[in-house]
Amino acid sequence: MNSHFGRPLAVTLHHFDPTTASTTEWKKLHAYRRLRGNEDAPGDPLLPDADFEADLRTHRPLHQNHRILALHGEEIVGNLVIGFRRPGSKDWEDFARHLDVMGGVMQQHRRRGVGTALLAGLAEFMSRHEKTVVSAKVRHPESHCFMEAIGAHARQRLVENRLRFCDVDWNDVAHWLEDFPADSKGLSWEVHAGRVPMETLTPLMEPLTRLINEQPLGTLELPRFRYELQGYRSWYADMDRRGGEHFLVLLRDGQKLAAVCDASWDQRFPDRMYQQLTAVEAPWRGQGLAKAVKARMLLLVRERHPQVQAALTFNAQVNAPMLSINRRLGYSVHREEAVYQAELDSLRCYLARRA
């Protein structure tokens, strides 16, 4: 145990503004994020400095971020990234109470009041912006303990699954696709790689929104998830700037959607693909459509990017059908996470006790 545990560390909170930050401030932030990345997720790649800065400076029409740094003297010892729906954007009133937060404290300075100081900054931010519910995803045992201590509740359990391409039986995957009788079921394939035309995406917004909200979401108290064209425009603009591709595999029943598989590839991390939504419309469930679209997606990515070595995806722990398909493909659990939610009043109670 660190000999400093229990001895309070004097910190001040600094609100980091990427539009006005000096070169020195950026250097300190880069050094901190590299250190924290190695502590929290050793082996996972980090964004290059220039890309990280460009990302923070980019205006998002639908979402906004705010950063709070905990400083001990001139050293960054902890941080919070607060995300929320941009006021004035479409349907922002539905999100008005909610925000997301991520961040942490350097290992050598934990249990010294840094997290509590950041929590006070978060509570002040929530009060000032009339937010009452905060959500946070955590993975480490000490993070779970902290969430419980502040009165947060685990609303959803997740697993990050990873698939090593060298472990895949590609003949088996090809057979999954060959053995799926799309024609005899009256279904047709539609495959997009690179970018999906906006005229194709537009009629998909409603069925995709409905399908994502049918996924197991635990007891999360959240506005309805939305697929939005503006979100795709912003995402595609990001990919145009830094390099990347969006893949969309559909099975259609005439013009109606029967099944979907969604994934992306980032040129900055060329050895991996990111698996997103896989879903099947209710009348077609239990007939092998999910397995077929996932197989088609894997073969598509492998063909276009033979350098890809792994696929990453998140699944709810209670989503047994999808977990079963992933296991048969060769996915294994990389780590487990939980999404916690807390009310502003709970944070205030905790801070009053600590005071």
Side-chain angles (χ1 to χ4, degrees):
M1 180 178 291
N2 190 309
S3 61
H4 292 297
F5 282 177
R7 295 173 56 187
L9 189 73
V11 298
T12 57
L13 299 184
H14 172 68
H15 298 268
F16 182 85
D17 184 349
T19 64
T20 61
S22 67
T23 301
T24 299
E25 288 178 306
W26 278 112
K27 286 182 177 178
K28 290 179 179 178
L29 182 57
H30 290 313
Y32 170 79
R33 73 185 182 90
R34 283 191 286 269
L35 186 150
R36 288 287 298 120
N38 288 330
E39 289 180 344
D40 260 13
D44 280 3
L46 289 174
L47 283 175
D49 291 354
D51 289 332
F52 181 78
E53 292 186 25
D55 187 61
L56 264 61
R57 292 190 177 109
T58 300
H59 175 84
R60 314 286 180 193
L62 298 179
H63 300 99
Q64 188 172 344
N65 285 337
H66 182 81
R67 277 174 164 73
I68 301 176
L69 306 180
L71 303 179
H72 175 58
E74 297 297 318
E75 180 187 17
I76 302 174
V77 294
N79 78 305
L80 284 181
V81 181
I82 302 169
F84 50 96
R85 183 79 170 197
R86 183 174 293 280
S89 63
K90 185 176 182 296
D91 298 328
W92 78 273
E93 297 90 348
D94 295 344
F95 300 81
R97 299 178 58 233
H98 296 266
L99 54 77
D100 298 307
V101 67
M102 58 183 294
V105 176
M106 289 174 57
Q107 284 183 358
Q108 69 183 94
H109 296 306
R110 290 174 186 170
R111 296 175 61 184
R112 301 182 66 189
V114 180
T116 299
L118 287 166
L119 195 68
L122 172 63
E124 189 277 332
F125 183 92
M126 293 177 69
S127 298
R128 181 155 40 93
H129 293 275
E130 300 181 332
K131 305 291 185 182
T132 58
V133 180
V134 58
S135 303
K137 184 190 291 185
V138 304
R139 66 173 71 113
H140 300 295
E142 59 268 33
S143 302
H144 288 278
C145 291
F146 186 72
M147 289 292 108
E148 292 167 2
I150 67 175
H153 300 280
R155 302 293 190 185
Q156 186 183 36
R157 302 282 182 179
L158 300 167
V159 290
E160 180 186 337
N161 287 306
R162 295 194 179 188
L163 172 67
R164 297 198 312 166
F165 275 31
C166 63
D167 294 336
V168 176
D169 184 336
W170 291 103
N171 289 327
D172 197 28
V173 173
H175 288 320
W176 279 18
L177 194 57
E178 294 164 1
D179 295 343
F180 180 73
D183 292 342
S184 65
K185 290 178 177 290
L187 300 174
S188 60
W189 288 99
E190 182 177 330
V191 177
H192 299 274
R195 302 290 185 273
V196 183
M198 287 296 158
E199 57 268 26
T200 300
L201 286 171
T202 300
L204 289 173
M205 294 300 95
E206 188 280 327
L208 291 178
T209 294
R210 176 167 37 76
L211 285 170
I212 192 66
N213 284 281
E214 292 175 0
Q215 303 296 305
L217 299 175
T219 58
L220 287 171
E221 186 216 327
L222 288 173
R224 189 168 181 254
F225 287 109
R226 292 163 169 80
Y227 277 82
E228 299 172 276
L229 283 178
Q230 185 58 63
Y232 278 99
R233 293 189 183 101
S234 296
W235 187 33
Y236 284 3
D238 283 346
M239 285 196 286
D240 290 341
R241 172 174 52 82
R242 43 85 171 168
E245 291 194 321
H246 176 213
F247 305 98
L248 187 66
V249 172
L250 307 174
L251 276 170
R252 289 192 182 272
D253 174 16
Q255 292 301 308
K256 295 186 295 183
L257 183 64
V260 58
C261 190
D262 195 23
S264 63
W265 175 80
D266 189 326
Q267 184 173 285
R268 298 167 299 186
F269 312 119
D271 65 337
R272 56 192 59 202
M273 64 164 278
Y274 300 90
Q275 177 74 67
Q276 291 145 1
L277 176 68
T278 301
V280 178
E281 290 280 13
W284 292 99
R285 290 171 191 166
Q287 301 183 50
L289 275 69
K291 192 168 68 170
V293 292
K294 285 182 79 74
R296 185 73 181 263
M297 176 64 74
L298 286 171
L299 292 168
L300 171 66
V301 172
R302 184 177 182 234
E303 177 184 353
R304 287 183 66 89
H305 297 289
Q307 75 274 36
V308 170
Q309 299 175 24
L312 289 68
T313 188
F314 283 92
N315 303 106
Q317 286 188 356
V318 296
N319 193 348
M322 194 56 62
L323 290 172
S324 175
I325 293 173
N326 284 343
R327 278 194 298 270
R328 293 172 62 188
L329 278 168
Y331 279 90
S332 60
V333 175
H334 179 66
R335 55 188 166 219
E336 298 183 358
E337 301 183 342
V339 180
Y340 283 80
Q341 289 188 310
E343 298 277 346
L344 176 57
D345 287 344
S346 296
L347 307 189
R348 288 170 171 162
C349 288
Y350 173 81
L351 292 169
R353 293 196 305 271
R354 294 283 292 182

